[in-house]
Amino acid sequence: MNPLNANDIDIFSIRCRRAPHAHYDRPLYDFRLKEKPLSLSRPDTRYNCVVKVSYTSSAKTAAHIRYIMREGAGIDGEKPTLFDDTGVTFKTAAAYSKNRFLKGEKRIFKFVISPEKTAMDLSAFTQRVMRGIEIKQGQKLNWAAAVHGNTANPHVHVVVRGIDKNGAEVRLKKELIRNGIRNICKEDIALNYGEKSFFQARLDELKLTRSRNVTKFDRAVDRKLQTAARSRFGYIPYIPASAQEYERLSYLSQIGLAKKTFVSACNFAQKGFLVDCEFLTKLQTHQKANDIVKTYYRDRGKTEPTPAAPSAVKPPAPQPQRKNAFARRNKQKLRMMV
């Protein structure tokens, strides 16, 4: 007995019939919406380190030294001690500024180094980091540093003089300013204090995808958008390269800096985003405004509100109450009746 009935045989024959001869040489295109699988990139298990680099005129050296050695800025609210590469410590700013004039100095460089791992000797850490910077820079630098503990994250202020120990002018290399100093700090922490676990690194990356501040994913997306053609509508199509970028762009779409869409790629449409051309600038502006707000509320309890200044304009004199017109008319009628 045949298990297939006639209807099944007819349907099977119709589905398996051959295409006409004219369609053999025609290229096959599949315009269905496909989703490219996004791979999870391996997270960086090294402890992160925030590094800020700036410079100012050499005439402000003494003022900056007094600032980083101010009372209460050190560990446990103590006054910080200034130290240099030779291990000499200075208790006051005047002790360092004495006989520290360098002829031909035009500028000084200011570093702020804040490692993610706080349980560490920041003085020894600074010595090793500055030694690595000197190797990368190729100069023996004149520097001094102070450890601060007046914030939630202990950090180090480093002052690099504009003249090295051989009398040559100091100009930091661009590679050091971009990510060279940060990489030196990360490698030193990993070598002397170990690394994070894989799951902790993955959790930290998930937190970054939901941050309102500028992250490494935003900088990676911005570098790729620089080579793309600008759109007259202010958005650029972009296909994420990893699952972390997809999560980050999904969050940016929630705050109005991107839009979910389908982006054409070769012979299929891929899930992507329309990213705002100025999304990085807007994030940086929000980050600065948020820092200003945090600073205001942090210092709000320390300063008492100033009393309002007395007004120079005298308040107007009280006007006499006007009598009702009906009352005046009634009085007149009473007088006429009398």
Side-chain angles (χ1 to χ4, degrees), residues 294-309:
K294 287 182 179 179
T295 304
Y296 170 75
Y297 281 101
R298 184 174 63 247
D299 300 338
R300 188 177 181 180
K302 300 178 182 179
T303 59
E304 297 181 356
T306 56

Side-chain angles (χ1 to χ4, degrees), residues 19-27:
H21 181 74
H23 294 175
Y24 284 169
D25 299 331
R26 182 177 298 178

Side-chain angles (χ1 to χ4, degrees), residues 203-325:
L203 182 61
D204 293 342
E205 281 196 347
L206 290 177
K207 292 180 180 179
L208 282 180
T209 58
R210 310 291 297 180
S211 174
R212 287 299 298 266
N213 298 333
V214 180
T215 64
K216 60 180 181 180
F217 305 117
D218 301 324
R219 297 187 182 93
V221 172
D222 184 68
R223 284 194 296 267
K224 296 176 184 178
L225 293 183
Q226 296 299 328
T227 59
R230 294 290 176 180
S231 173
R232 62 177 180 176
F233 300 106
Y235 290 89
I236 302 176
Y238 181 80
I239 298 178
S242 62
Q244 289 91 335
E245 284 189 3
Y246 184 87
E247 292 295 331
R248 180 59 179 170
L249 291 173
S250 298
Y251 178 75
L252 293 181
S253 64
Q254 296 178 10
I255 61 178
L257 298 180
K259 298 179 181 178
K260 287 186 177 182
T261 184
F262 288 96
V263 181
S264 61
C266 298
N267 63 335
F268 60 90
Q270 172 68 34
K271 283 185 178 181
F273 296 86
L274 291 176
V275 186
D276 191 348
C277 299
E278 305 296 334
F279 85 100
L280 190 64
T281 305
K282 294 179 180 179
L283 282 177
Q284 291 173 347
T285 303
H286 177 270
Q287 184 174 355
K288 292 179 181 178
N290 194 25
D291 292 343
I292 293 173
V293 171
K294 287 182 179 179
T295 304
Y296 170 75
Y297 281 101
R298 184 174 63 247
D299 300 338
R300 188 177 181 180
K302 300 178 182 179
T303 59
E304 297 181 356
T306 56
S311 177
V313 181
K314 294 182 180 181
Q319 298 292 334
Q321 186 178 5
R322 295 184 61 183
K323 295 182 179 180
N324 193 353

